[in-house]
Amino acid sequence: MRFTIERLRTLVLAAGVLLIAALVVFLAIGKWKNPLNRHDLPKRLGVDIQQEASGFTYTQAHGGHTLFKIQASKVVQLKQGYAMLHDVHIEIFDTHGNRMDSIQGNEFEYNQQAGTAKANGPVEITLTRSAAASANAPGSTPAAQQVSVRTSGLVFDQNSGLASTNEQVEFELEKGSGSADGATLDSGQGLLVLDRSVKMTLRRGADVAELQAAHAELERSGQTCRLMNSTVRYRGSQLDSGASTLHFRNDGSVAQLDAQNQLTLTSASGSRVTAPTGTVNFDSDSHPRHGFLQGGVALESFAPDRQIRASAPTAKLEFTPSGVLATAHLERGVQMTSDSEQTLAKRLERSHTTWASSTADLRFRDTGQGRIEIARLDGDGGVIIRGQSQHGTAPQVPYSLAADAVSGIFSAGSVLTDITGTGHARMEQTTAKGAQDTTQGDTLVAHFASSKSGATRVAAPEGNLALDSATVEGHVVLTETPAAQAGNQVPAAMRATGGKAVYRSESGKIWLTESPRVEEGDLQVLAQSIEVTQSTGDAEARGGVKATWLDHGDSGDSGPRSIAGLGMHSGQGPVHAVAEQAALNQSTSEVKFTGHARFWQASNSISAPVITLNRTKQMLTAHASGSSDPVQVVMVGALGTASGAQPHSANPSVIRMQGGALTYSAAERKVVMRSDGVGKVHVETADMESTSSEVDVYLLPPSNHAGKNGTAAQVDKLIAIGQVNLMSQGRTGTGTRLEYSNDSGAYVLTGTPAQPPMLSDSVRGSVTGEALIFNSRDDSVRVEHAKGQTMTETTIPGRLSGHAKAAEK
């Protein structure tokens, strides 16, 4: 570019010299044509003319310095007012008398009547930079500082002062060359016009710069050049402008370009920047360094599998010292789109992404030979990214990312590898199954891997990418809303909070730490850390696990609350659970609590080493870890009292059970406690204690927690089976089956013919029969025999007081 300006400037000076020389030649020809007037010429011109034997020499001087000198070997006067000047050599000097430029031509034709002169045949012009000439003695200008110009058909009109040609103008530099079709010089205005097809080629080492323009105008006084429909190509890049103005320094290098009527910068890689108007500043080597575009800036990048477009009202550009685009700052409302389509593993992958922000900064990477690619993207003032991806024939998956500020890092090929969202960061995704996933926090940092790496693919702000890892910090909130199921039922949404969340693709898991908390429907879980498997929704909580099922007052017979509470009814408050660890399996709908697990609602509780809930089957199971750590159940208000009976105390009735394994079915309203691993099942109430191999408890429906007299009760029946041992009111009993009924308030102890039930009393001795019946409401005991005989004994609480006997057939 620098040599181009020098050539154009030199061409202006040369045309000016040629114009002056032509005028002098016309006057000299007039002198040869009319010898009578020859002695009048010095008076008219005010100069001295010297005639030499070999031809003639015309010199014009001012202030003691020569301005120009014309030499010709012969002048021929023709008829009809024409004259011919042969073998012309013109020298032009600067104000210090140093030779600047020279013009040589074989023949000039002068039309005295029209006042025009035309050079017949070629004209050679040698132009010299003024700085170089002043630094050297006359005649010793280095060749490196000269410009050679060739043209023909040059016409000078002495009336208008214009010199012009319709022929081709060619010029040569040491490191370049150029040409134009037609030229006009206005010496009065100091303006040189290159009419059409302006071309210039410059060489800088191995690099070649090419300039083309439909039209060019050079203004000598203002050191500017106006170009129309110009194109500059350098190192594979291209600069196009409908109308532009070049501003030069004193040394001829380009200082600034002002473009109007559309400016377009195109890189060797196909990236393109366009704007209606713009300014580009250049360094002393004519390399672009800064740019400001306005009026609606558009950036485009095209690759075989990806197209990126961006737009903004204004843009500031920065270039490297070698003139390659380095950064672009877009502001006042930035819009970007990215479309990708490629085939991976014989499956077509598509994505469409949009970006909106107040400002955006793009940093480019120089890949050599003038090719660039995006290396970093920073957005500020509120960034919103939306998109959708499609894998094969699967449904499109929409996603979005928003934050106060977003930064993206790109690897080779402009492939996104890292993205950071700062300030109110939020990512949303709709899965192929219709579930809505949301992640938000103060900051979000995500690292992406190529699809070929085998990382688990998830929706990401750039399609055809795989999320390798992600970290969210500060006020983290994760939500998952399942898609509506049959009957338009929407399952409960999952919401997780914490101080930090980390995702790793190799495990497909998300770790929540710093006081994490998970909520799903009525369930709330807290722990030191919570781990969620993204593909399945399975979760594990570790360290100080606390779970709560909130009581919303419904009386339904489903949900974790009714399971966890073993039928604990509404109105008693939430159900709580604690454990060292908890694991949720979505495929089986199970939640397993391990390590000193305990459930309670009000005063009712279950404790065991392992407690498992199955929300689909509406079941609860608990397992002991040997006799030292059994399953324990406490149910307060489980038993009612008979009408008119006096309770043993003002405290509510309590059932305590202890065993090796517990199973509860909400559908059957049944609790089964077995002795697995602990030897026996132990049951204790206010009226009796028992041990057995198994205990089955049948619960009343949650809408009917009342005995016959309306007092609170949960148990309908209690049955102890296998090696039953009974202790009540100082009595002991043995048998194979013990059954309690809420309707009668009686305990019935039975056995087998080989091992009938037996009751022992320290005062009355032992008694046996087919069935022994204890009434908890009046402390009476009945013994039933096979022949229908019964014996009833009534006691006062704490001791025997008397008995009554009756025989019936």
Side-chain angles (χ1 to χ4, degrees):
M1 184 69 70
R2 177 179 175 181
F3 291 105
T4 301
I5 302 308
E6 293 174 357
R7 294 170 181 170
L8 296 176
R9 182 173 177 270
T10 302
L11 185 58
V12 174
L13 296 176
V17 171
L18 181 61
L19 177 61
I20 297 173
L23 179 60
V24 173
V25 171
F26 301 152
L27 296 176
I29 292 175
K31 173 183 176 181
W32 281 94
K33 180 178 179 181
N34 190 353
L36 296 177
N37 295 331
R38 183 173 178 179
H39 297 289
D40 297 334
L41 288 177
K43 182 177 181 180
R44 294 181 181 181
L45 297 176
V47 297
D48 295 329
I49 297 177
Q50 180 180 356
Q51 179 69 46
E52 296 182 355
S54 60
F56 108 157
T57 298
Y58 177 87
T59 302
Q60 181 168 324
H62 179 75
H65 298 291
T66 301
L67 299 180
F68 61 86
K69 180 190 295 185
I70 303 174
Q71 294 177 325
S73 63
K74 184 174 64 175
V75 176
V76 178
Q77 178 67 49
L78 303 176
K79 296 180 181 180
Q80 299 177 352
Y82 286 90
M84 302 298 296
L85 189 65
H86 295 273
D87 297 330
V88 179
H89 180 76
I90 305 172
E91 293 178 299
I92 300 95
F93 301 84
D94 63 12
T95 56
H96 299 286
N98 298 313
R99 194 189 71 178
M100 289 294 298
D101 307 307
S102 65
I103 303 172
Q104 289 182 324
N106 291 330
E107 185 178 86
F108 283 86
E109 178 183 308
Y110 174 60
N111 186 327
Q112 200 170 28
Q113 182 177 359
T116 61
K118 179 180 180 180
N120 295 330
V123 175
E124 294 185 2
I125 306 170
T126 301
L127 307 177
T128 305
R129 289 176 54 189
S130 59
S134 62
N136 295 277
S140 62
T141 303
Q145 303 296 330
Q146 294 179 342
V147 179
S148 298
V149 181
R150 296 184 302 273
T151 188
S152 61
L154 184 67
V155 177
F156 173 72
D157 187 335
Q158 66 181 23
N159 298 317
S160 63
L162 299 178
S164 61
T165 180
N166 289 323
E167 304 299 326
Q168 188 178 58
V169 178
E170 297 179 350
F171 41 91
E172 292 286 342
L173 301 170
E174 182 185 17
K175 297 182 179 180
S177 60
S179 65
D181 291 343
T184 301
L185 172 65
D186 185 342
S187 60
Q189 298 296 326
L191 180 65
L192 174 64
V193 178
L194 301 178
D195 291 338
R196 57 196 181 276
S197 300
V198 181
K199 299 178 182 178
M200 185 176 295
T201 300
L202 301 175
R203 295 176 178 84
R204 301 180 62 86
D207 297 324
V208 177
E210 296 180 350
L211 167 67
Q212 292 183 340
H215 184 80
E217 298 180 1
L218 290 91
E219 184 177 336
R220 181 166 47 193
S221 60
Q223 292 186 312
T224 61
C225 175
R226 293 185 291 273
L227 301 172
M228 298 296 295
N229 298 326
S230 63
T231 298
V232 178
R233 298 182 181 91
Y234 179 66
R235 298 182 64 183
S237 301
Q238 182 171 311
L239 171 63
D240 297 282
S241 177
S244 59
T245 301
L246 291 173
H247 301 271
F248 308 106
R249 297 183 180 89
N250 292 330
D251 63 358
S253 62
V254 179
Q256 182 173 305
L257 179 145
D258 295 326
Q260 306 85 30
N261 193 20
Q262 202 69 13
L263 171 68
T264 302
L265 291 168
T266 306
S267 72
S269 58
S271 300
R272 185 164 57 213
V273 182
T274 61
T277 61
T279 298
V280 180
N281 300 110
F282 298 82
D283 61 16
S284 58
D285 290 327
S286 297
H287 292 144
R289 295 307 308 270
H290 316 283
F292 180 71
L293 311 181
Q294 56 186 334
V297 183
L299 286 82
E300 296 177 311
S301 177
F302 299 99
D305 59 355
R306 182 178 290 107
Q307 297 82 44
I308 301 175
R309 297 176 175 85
S311 63
T314 63
K316 296 179 181 178
L317 308 180
E318 297 292 335
F319 299 84
T320 66
S322 60
V324 178
L325 182 61
T327 65
H329 174 75
L330 286 71
E331 57 184 24
R332 295 170 55 190
V334 181
Q335 300 288 331
M336 283 189 282
T337 63
S338 174
D339 293 281
S340 176
E341 182 174 307
Q342 59 180 316
T343 301
L344 298 173
K346 299 182 179 181
R347 184 176 67 175
L348 186 62
E349 307 280 342
R350 297 187 182 92
S351 72
H352 173 75
T353 306
T354 64
W355 167 298
S357 63
S358 178
T359 65
D361 289 280
L362 291 92
R363 298 183 185 180
F364 300 94
R365 182 185 298 109
D366 185 0
T367 60
Q369 300 299 319
R371 298 178 179 272
I372 61 172
E373 60 186 21
I374 296 177
R376 183 184 177 98
L377 171 62
D378 296 281
D380 205 348
V383 181
I384 300 176
I385 303 173
R386 292 189 177 94
Q388 55 189 17
S389 61
Q390 184 178 24
H391 311 304
T393 58
Q396 292 183 340
V397 178
Y399 52 85
S400 66
L401 171 66
D404 295 343
V406 173
S407 297
I409 305 297
F410 297 80
S411 63
S414 296
V415 176
L416 181 64
T417 59
D418 296 273
I419 192 167
T420 301
T422 305
H424 305 93
R426 180 183 180 91
M427 181 183 288
E428 296 182 358
Q429 171 190 351
T430 301
T431 67
K433 296 182 180 180
Q436 301 286 333
D437 292 343
T438 302
T439 303
Q440 63 186 56
D442 294 342
T443 61
L444 184 153
V445 179
H447 175 71
F448 299 93
S450 170
S451 302
K452 299 178 182 179
S453 67
T456 303
R457 181 183 298 279
V458 299
E462 182 67 30
N464 299 327
L465 291 174
L467 182 62
D468 184 55
S469 63
T471 301
V472 185
E473 294 186 89
H475 304 92
V476 177
V477 179
L478 307 178
T479 60
E480 178 179 330
T481 304
Q485 299 177 348
N488 294 323
Q489 293 182 348
V490 179
M494 186 276 289
R495 184 177 187 269
T497 61
K500 183 177 183 179
V502 177
Y503 168 79
R504 294 286 184 269
S505 65
E506 63 269 16
S507 63
K509 294 181 178 181
I510 299 174
W511 285 269
L512 278 168
T513 57
E514 299 180 13
S515 303
R517 180 189 186 101
V518 174
E519 300 177 5
E520 184 176 3
D522 292 343
L523 172 63
Q524 298 178 353
V525 179
L526 293 84
Q528 292 180 1
S529 67
I530 298 176
E531 176 184 302
V532 180
T533 302
Q534 190 178 48
S535 60
T536 62
D538 296 347
E540 294 185 22
R542 295 184 176 89
V545 178
K546 299 178 182 179
T548 301
W549 283 268
L550 299 177
D551 181 5
H552 294 303
D554 58 332
S555 58
D557 192 24
S558 63
R561 182 175 49 78
S562 63
I563 302 172
L566 286 179
M568 302 173 191
H569 50 79
S570 300
Q572 291 186 340
V575 176
H576 303 280
V578 294
E580 293 178 359
Q581 297 183 13
L584 167 65
N585 188 310
Q586 293 285 10
S587 62
T588 61
S589 295
E590 286 187 349
V591 182
K592 179 184 288 187
F593 294 83
T594 58
H596 305 290
R598 181 171 180 263
F599 280 62
W600 75 94
Q601 182 187 38
S603 299
N604 305 292
S605 66
I606 307 169
S607 60
V610 179
I611 300 176
T612 302
L613 298 176
N614 189 305
R615 294 180 293 178
T616 299
K617 297 179 180 180
Q618 293 289 286
M619 294 185 66
L620 179 148
T621 61
H623 298 279
S625 178
S627 58
S628 62
D629 197 0
V631 179
Q632 301 181 68
V633 177
V634 176
M635 301 177 67
V636 179
L639 304 176
T641 58
S643 177
Q646 296 295 324
H648 294 297
S649 68
N651 297 323
S653 62
V654 178
I655 294 180
R656 291 182 172 88
M657 292 189 296
Q658 180 176 297
L662 173 73
T663 301
Y664 166 66
S665 172
E668 298 177 1
R669 304 293 296 172
K670 180 180 179 181
V671 179
V672 177
M673 177 76 84
R674 298 184 302 276
S675 61
D676 297 359
V678 298
K680 58 185 178 181
V681 176
H682 183 268
V683 177
E684 178 182 349
T685 70
D687 304 304
M688 69 90 185
E689 293 184 35
S690 71
T691 61
S692 60
S693 298
E694 179 179 316
V695 172
D696 297 342
V697 179
Y698 296 87
L699 304 177
L700 291 168
S703 58
N704 186 26
H705 283 180
K708 281 188 173 182
N709 65 338
T711 57
Q714 296 186 59
V715 175
D716 184 25
K717 289 191 301 182
L718 185 151
I719 301 173
I721 304 172
Q723 298 180 353
V724 177
N725 289 279
L726 173 67
M727 292 164 285
S728 176
Q729 301 296 324
R731 310 182 188 97
T732 61
T734 60
T736 60
R737 179 184 178 94
L738 175 66
E739 181 174 339
Y740 166 82
S741 173
N742 179 65
D743 289 339
S744 63
Y747 295 90
V748 179
L749 179 64
T750 60
T752 64
Q755 185 181 352
M758 179 176 291
L759 177 65
S760 298
D761 184 279
S762 59
V763 177
R764 299 295 180 183
S766 299
V767 64
T768 186
E770 185 174 332
L772 302 178
I773 303 172
F774 301 85
N775 193 316
S776 62
R777 296 168 181 167
D778 60 7
D779 291 327
S780 63
V781 178
R782 284 195 323 234
V783 180
E784 294 188 353
H785 298 279
K787 296 180 179 180
Q789 294 179 340
T790 65
M791 180 180 68
T792 302
E793 183 177 272
T794 303
T795 65
I796 297 173
R799 64 182 181 89
L800 296 175
S801 61
H803 63 272
K805 299 181 180 178
E808 299 179 0
K809 293 183 180 180

